[in-house]
Amino acid sequence: MRAGNDQFSKEARVRGLKSRAAFKLLEINEKYKIFNAGQTVVDLGYAPGSWSQVAVDRTFPNGRVIGIDIIPAQPPKGVSTIQGNFLSHDVQEAVKDLLRKSSKRRTTGHILEDNGHEQSMMDGYSKAWSLDQPETEHATERSPGQSKNHSTRKKSEESEGRMVDIVLSDMSEPWEQTTGFWIKSLSNPYRRMMNTSGMNFRDHAGSMDLCNAALNFSYDTLRTGGHFVCKFYQGAEEKALELRLKALFAKVHREKPESSRSESKEAYFVALRRKGDTQKEDVLKDT
């Protein structure tokens, strides 16, 4: 486990963020503007919760953030969580059920106190890492016919369980635990997690399995126009994953955030604007 004394680790502690990983997502959002108020976000492998913290902050007001992790952890304020393996059909159904219930009562997944919006833990960061939300562009006005078609499509997608605007995955394949069984901490799950094995092929292969599983989950849950951000470890199979992403999304970008450690082989696919007319077998072939 690293000492965590670099500038991003120190800044995360100052801002009350769960980990330095928050700045990777903040960089991605600064460039691609994936977040907007009121969105529904699912954070796969959320522990310890820094990406979920960013999602809560960036989707205020009326946003919904659901974190899923196999490791028990203390969820950040404003995040609904499910402990379990997201590969499980039962867990995926539990997510959809939670989304359906929370759509009736929009109090799940956003920071709202009696006195209004709490001060963001990320407010006031240096200008180079500005977190000010961009001015919202006026949506293109729809004709009555277009509005009706949009409403019909939205209802159809929701009936199929496609109620998510963004799927995030910063997962790494965990090692089998061999020590530290006495640790019961929920606030510091890093003590019960491993990030990489140090063997490039193993880390790459594990990340491809997780990315493909997350892509499958995204196909089933993302609305048309939704976004997907996924960490991967670089290697021979990444090009095939990129082609699958391009089959489902209008634009796919590769990113290596400045806050990612220079020695790390990790990178991120940022897939924007899910297409609405793609067949599942065309996306997940050869997986």
Side-chain angles (χ1 to χ4, degrees):
M1 187 163 53
R2 297 182 177 92
N5 290 322
D6 60 276
Q7 71 175 96
F8 296 106
S9 297
K10 292 177 181 177
E11 191 67 28
R13 289 194 291 270
V14 169
R15 299 298 173 189
L17 297 168
K18 294 281 188 176
S19 79
R20 68 192 302 284
F23 297 111
K24 301 172 189 177
L25 184 56
L26 289 168
E27 284 185 68
I28 289 170
N29 186 57
E30 185 74 15
K31 185 171 183 178
Y32 296 106
K33 306 298 188 292
I34 63 173
F35 290 114
N36 285 299
Q39 287 175 321
T40 296
V41 181
V42 174
D43 186 3
L44 302 176
Y46 80 92
S50 60
W51 275 31
S52 289
Q53 286 178 299
V54 172
V56 168
D57 190 80
R58 298 292 70 164
T59 60
F60 180 87
N62 299 327
R64 293 179 290 179
V65 180
I66 297 176
I68 306 170
D69 208 299
I70 198 169
I71 297 173
Q74 183 66 45
K77 188 171 184 178
V79 180
S80 301
T81 60
I82 295 174
Q83 184 187 346
N85 188 340
F86 87 97
L87 300 177
S88 163
H89 175 75
D90 290 341
V91 171
Q92 294 185 23
E93 288 303 309
V95 174
K96 295 174 184 178
D97 185 57
L98 182 57
L99 288 169
R100 284 190 288 266
K101 290 179 179 178
S102 62
S103 66
K104 298 178 182 178
R105 188 176 179 183
R106 298 295 297 245
T107 57
T108 299
H110 52 95
I111 303 175
L112 184 62
E113 298 294 331
D114 291 339
N115 295 325
H117 190 191
E118 288 183 345
Q119 181 180 5
S120 169
M121 292 176 290
M122 294 168 278
D123 285 346
Y125 199 57
S126 63
K127 186 175 180 181
W129 297 87
S130 173
L131 303 180
D132 291 335
Q133 289 283 61
E135 292 185 8
T136 303
E137 296 182 0
H138 294 292
T140 303
E141 292 186 7
R142 297 187 179 95
S143 67
Q146 289 175 320
S147 296
K148 183 177 180 179
N149 291 338
H150 174 76
S151 178
T152 300
R153 186 187 69 189
K154 184 176 179 180
K155 288 180 180 178
S156 175
E157 289 182 349
E158 288 182 353
S159 69
E160 297 171 359
R162 289 172 53 189
M163 296 172 278
V164 179
D165 298 294
I166 301 174
V167 172
L168 304 174
S169 174
D170 192 34
M171 294 183 292
S172 296
E173 185 178 26
W175 292 1
E176 183 178 352
Q177 187 171 357
T178 57
T179 61
F181 292 100
W182 56 273
I183 297 172
K184 304 298 183 182
S185 171
L186 292 181
S187 60
N188 188 10
Y190 271 142
R191 292 184 177 274
R192 293 174 284 109
M193 298 168 66
M194 289 291 184
N195 289 324
T196 57
S197 68
M199 295 181 286
N200 291 342
F201 176 78
R202 175 180 172 177
D203 294 335
H204 168 66
S207 75
M208 290 297 101
D209 289 343
L210 290 172
C211 286
N212 282 314
L215 177 58
N216 183 76
F217 180 84
S218 297
Y219 185 93
D220 291 338
T221 59
L222 270 181
R223 301 180 191 273
T224 299
H227 310 312
F228 176 55
V229 180
C230 185
K231 177 171 73 178
F232 68 98
Y233 290 99
Q234 300 169 59
E237 296 180 32
E238 65 187 73
K239 186 62 179 178
L241 174 60
E242 184 176 14
L243 291 175
R244 293 183 195 110
L245 291 169
K246 287 181 176 180
L248 184 59
F249 296 91
K251 292 287 185 180
V252 177
H253 305 274
R254 293 169 178 245
E255 287 295 325
K256 172 74 171 176
E258 183 181 339
S259 49
S260 177
R261 299 181 193 274
S262 58
E263 70 272 19
S264 173
K265 290 288 187 180
E266 73 177 10
Y268 292 84
F269 280 121
V270 183
L272 306 176
R273 300 189 302 280
R274 182 225 166 101
K275 301 173 186 176
D277 56 354
T278 306
Q279 299 300 310
K280 194 170 189 177
E281 55 268 24
D282 293 332
V283 176
L284 299 171
K285 59 185 176 182
D286 303 325
T287 57

